[in-house]
Amino acid sequence: MIVKGKLTPFRLAALDYFADILLTNQMRRHIIVTVTFRKKMDHLGLTTVEDYNLSGKPREFVLDIHRNQIEEEIIRTLAHEMVHVKQYVEGELNDSMTSWRGKKVNSDDIDYWLQPWELEALGREQGLLTKFAIKEHLWEIFEGFRDPSAPIEN
């Protein structure tokens, strides 16, 4: 996977880690992801398809990330948006959000929190973030991360 954009080493490592889990080796060789950080956004993150291969499959993406988030939320948002990249690459979601896993969907008629692609992304983001935090011991580096193996504090 080629990653473009100004990323800290931990954000770049997070993207690589999420791609390793979500995408096959073959897919990763043909994917380009550009990450931008923006101040004025209505969402924490947004994934758009920027280009397609000769077969018409999406292969180049832009992840717009709201910059006013703490590090944990930025990495969580990157995990969430990488799930959307996987959905586009595997053909589960089309870029007009009118088809999910081969079935027609009218995304305007479905609450954001119940859209099937959002349910998957929301469900997977926590696991991806937790696995990455464990791998990198992020609680030792950034405020806001918690060691998932530590006892829960009352």
Side-chain angles (χ1 to χ4, degrees), residues 1-19:
M1 180 173 76
I2 297 171
V3 179
K4 299 177 180 179
K6 295 182 180 180
L7 293 165
T8 65
F10 280 102
R11 292 173 186 176
L12 182 58
L15 279 174
D16 286 337
Y17 184 78
F18 303 147

Side-chain angles (χ1 to χ4, degrees), residues 71-100:
E71 192 66 21
E72 177 180 2
E73 290 304 317
I74 287 174
I75 295 174
R76 178 187 306 279
T77 301
L78 289 171
H80 181 103
E81 298 308 322
M82 284 301 294
V83 173
H84 290 315
V85 168
K86 185 266 310 177
Q87 293 167 345
Y88 288 125
V89 168
E90 291 187 354
E92 297 173 316
L93 178 63
N94 66 349
D95 60 350
S96 59
M97 295 185 195
T98 58
S99 176
W100 172 248

Side-chain angles (χ1 to χ4, degrees), residues 10-77:
F10 280 102
R11 292 173 186 176
L12 182 58
L15 279 174
D16 286 337
Y17 184 78
F18 303 147
D20 285 346
I21 291 173
L22 296 168
L23 304 170
T24 66
N25 290 337
Q26 178 70 15
M27 288 178 187
R28 286 197 320 269
R29 282 195 289 273
H30 300 284
I31 299 297
I32 299 171
V33 174
T34 301
V35 181
T36 63
F37 292 91
R38 300 188 187 281
K39 267 184 150 175
K40 296 183 180 184
M41 291 182 62
D42 293 333
H43 304 296
L44 298 177
L46 178 67
T47 299
T48 54
V49 178
E50 284 295 304
D51 206 0
Y52 302 82
N53 66 12
L54 295 175
S55 300
K57 295 179 181 176
R59 292 297 182 256
E60 191 168 338
F61 305 89
V62 172
L63 309 184
D64 291 313
I65 308 297
H66 199 297
R67 71 169 48 177
N68 293 337
Q69 301 179 71
I70 63 171
E71 192 66 21
E72 177 180 2
E73 290 304 317
I74 287 174
I75 295 174
R76 178 187 306 279
T77 301

